[in-house]
Amino acid sequence: MSGKDQLIAWLNDAYAMEKSMEETLERHAKDAKGAPDVQTRIERHIEETRLQAEIVKGCIEGLGGKVSGAKSALAGFSGAVQGMMNKASSDTMVKNSLSDYAAEHFEIASYKALIEAARDLGEETVAQKLTQILHQEEEMARFLEQKLPSAVRGTLAEAAS
């Protein structure tokens, strides 16, 4: 496999990752109805995630590759299952926050690796597009980190009452 083929394969992984996150975030936005600022930010990130998937798809196609149908289908199923695993309970906001925070950091690491690969292969346009996505993922991770303490406190207050 050439370096370019490897980059395309990794981009397909990123595309599947974004499609999976879209499913998960849709469920988490519904779970956050009691926290309007969190719900609004998650809904905004759903739109960012959809756009990110399209950008990644464009990178794949721009490199002469095709989006993997199998990976995309598996991602959709995976996102649906992950979203259902956290059934509504008193600590749903905390569990969703932890899950989303971890997922954002996985995405951050993935995009850093993809940017490095693209630059190493001389694909600066791809690297620039992925850097824009990286910044959005970092922004979302910071938001989740800031909101985690209030989710924990809210859950504990609910448990005490």
mmCIF file of all heavy atoms in Angstrom, residues 5 10 49 59 94 98 109 111 113 117-118 130 154 160:
data_model
loop_
_atom_site.group_PDB
_atom_site.id
_atom_site.type_symbol
_atom_site.label_atom_id
_atom_site.label_comp_id
_atom_site.label_asym_id
_atom_site.label_seq_id
_atom_site.Cartn_x
_atom_site.Cartn_y
_atom_site.Cartn_z
ATOM 1 N N ASP A 5 -2.402 5.764 -0.442
ATOM 2 C CA ASP A 5 -3.474 4.798 -0.165
ATOM 3 C C ASP A 5 -3.716 4.674 1.339
ATOM 4 O O ASP A 5 -4.854 4.541 1.781
ATOM 5 C CB ASP A 5 -3.136 3.424 -0.758
ATOM 6 C CG ASP A 5 -3.188 3.409 -2.276
ATOM 7 O OD1 ASP A 5 -3.894 4.251 -2.865
ATOM 8 O OD2 ASP A 5 -2.508 2.547 -2.872
ATOM 9 N N TRP A 10 -7.016 5.966 6.153
ATOM 10 C CA TRP A 10 -7.183 6.659 7.428
ATOM 11 C C TRP A 10 -8.282 7.720 7.343
ATOM 12 O O TRP A 10 -9.031 7.918 8.295
ATOM 13 C CB TRP A 10 -5.873 7.292 7.871
ATOM 14 C CG TRP A 10 -4.854 6.309 8.383
ATOM 15 C CD1 TRP A 10 -5.086 5.061 8.882
ATOM 16 C CD2 TRP A 10 -3.447 6.510 8.452
ATOM 17 N NE1 TRP A 10 -3.906 4.473 9.258
ATOM 18 C CE2 TRP A 10 -2.875 5.344 9.000
ATOM 19 C CE3 TRP A 10 -2.610 7.555 8.088
ATOM 20 C CZ2 TRP A 10 -1.515 5.193 9.211
ATOM 21 C CZ3 TRP A 10 -1.243 7.407 8.296
ATOM 22 C CH2 TRP A 10 -0.708 6.241 8.855
ATOM 23 N N THR A 49 -20.145 18.475 12.822
ATOM 24 C CA THR A 49 -19.770 17.092 12.544
ATOM 25 C C THR A 49 -20.217 16.675 11.145
ATOM 26 O O THR A 49 -19.465 16.004 10.425
ATOM 27 C CB THR A 49 -20.359 16.158 13.622
ATOM 28 O OG1 THR A 49 -19.829 16.561 14.895
ATOM 29 C CG2 THR A 49 -20.034 14.704 13.368
ATOM 30 N N CYS A 59 -11.867 15.282 0.833
ATOM 31 C CA CYS A 59 -10.423 14.986 0.846
ATOM 32 C C CYS A 59 -10.164 13.610 0.232
ATOM 33 O O CYS A 59 -9.231 13.441 -0.562
ATOM 34 C CB CYS A 59 -9.871 15.052 2.266
ATOM 35 S SG CYS A 59 -9.792 16.715 2.970
ATOM 36 N N VAL A 94 -23.704 13.218 33.120
ATOM 37 C CA VAL A 94 -22.299 12.960 33.449
ATOM 38 C C VAL A 94 -21.732 11.898 32.513
ATOM 39 O O VAL A 94 -20.652 12.076 31.938
ATOM 40 C CB VAL A 94 -22.133 12.541 34.927
ATOM 41 C CG1 VAL A 94 -20.702 12.097 35.207
ATOM 42 C CG2 VAL A 94 -22.527 13.679 35.844
ATOM 43 N N LEU A 98 -18.706 12.499 29.844
ATOM 44 C CA LEU A 98 -17.467 11.710 29.840
ATOM 45 C C LEU A 98 -17.240 11.053 28.484
ATOM 46 O O LEU A 98 -16.133 11.092 27.934
ATOM 47 C CB LEU A 98 -17.512 10.641 30.931
ATOM 48 C CG LEU A 98 -17.516 11.142 32.375
ATOM 49 C CD1 LEU A 98 -17.754 9.979 33.334
ATOM 50 C CD2 LEU A 98 -16.229 11.872 32.697
ATOM 51 N N ALA A 109 -6.708 13.485 18.475
ATOM 52 C CA ALA A 109 -5.517 12.679 18.184
ATOM 53 C C ALA A 109 -5.548 12.169 16.740
ATOM 54 O O ALA A 109 -4.523 12.189 16.046
ATOM 55 C CB ALA A 109 -5.425 11.508 19.167
ATOM 56 N N TYR A 111 -7.054 13.518 14.107
ATOM 57 C CA TYR A 111 -6.785 14.587 13.145
ATOM 58 C C TYR A 111 -5.340 15.057 13.188
ATOM 59 O O TYR A 111 -4.761 15.392 12.152
ATOM 60 C CB TYR A 111 -7.780 15.747 13.319
ATOM 61 C CG TYR A 111 -9.107 15.395 12.702
ATOM 62 C CD1 TYR A 111 -10.231 15.174 13.482
ATOM 63 C CD2 TYR A 111 -9.227 15.220 11.321
ATOM 64 C CE1 TYR A 111 -11.442 14.809 12.915
ATOM 65 C CE2 TYR A 111 -10.435 14.845 10.746
ATOM 66 C CZ TYR A 111 -11.527 14.642 11.542
ATOM 67 O OH TYR A 111 -12.722 14.269 10.968
ATOM 68 N N ALA A 113 -2.809 13.111 13.716
ATOM 69 C CA ALA A 113 -2.095 12.088 12.941
ATOM 70 C C ALA A 113 -2.353 12.264 11.445
ATOM 71 O O ALA A 113 -1.421 12.163 10.623
ATOM 72 C CB ALA A 113 -2.514 10.694 13.399
ATOM 73 N N ALA A 117 0.343 13.044 8.471
ATOM 74 C CA ALA A 117 0.460 12.178 7.291
ATOM 75 C C ALA A 117 0.290 12.985 6.010
ATOM 76 O O ALA A 117 1.066 12.823 5.051
ATOM 77 C CB ALA A 117 -0.581 11.052 7.356
ATOM 78 N N ALA A 118 -0.710 13.862 5.981
ATOM 79 C CA ALA A 118 -0.960 14.662 4.780
ATOM 80 C C ALA A 118 0.242 15.556 4.475
ATOM 81 O O ALA A 118 0.683 15.643 3.312
ATOM 82 C CB ALA A 118 -2.223 15.500 4.963
ATOM 83 N N LEU A 130 -8.064 19.648 7.276
ATOM 84 C CA LEU A 130 -8.119 18.854 8.502
ATOM 85 C C LEU A 130 -7.774 19.692 9.731
ATOM 86 O O LEU A 130 -8.293 19.446 10.813
ATOM 87 C CB LEU A 130 -7.193 17.634 8.395
ATOM 88 C CG LEU A 130 -7.527 16.645 7.271
ATOM 89 C CD1 LEU A 130 -6.496 15.526 7.232
ATOM 90 C CD2 LEU A 130 -8.933 16.100 7.379
ATOM 91 N N GLY A 154 -24.803 18.890 39.452
ATOM 92 C CA GLY A 154 -26.245 18.744 39.226
ATOM 93 C C GLY A 154 -26.730 17.344 39.537
ATOM 94 O O GLY A 154 -27.783 17.159 40.155
ATOM 95 N N ALA A 160 -29.192 13.955 46.100
ATOM 96 C CA ALA A 160 -29.381 14.332 47.512
ATOM 97 C C ALA A 160 -30.828 14.735 47.836
ATOM 98 O O ALA A 160 -31.226 14.708 48.986
ATOM 99 C CB ALA A 160 -28.442 15.492 47.864
#
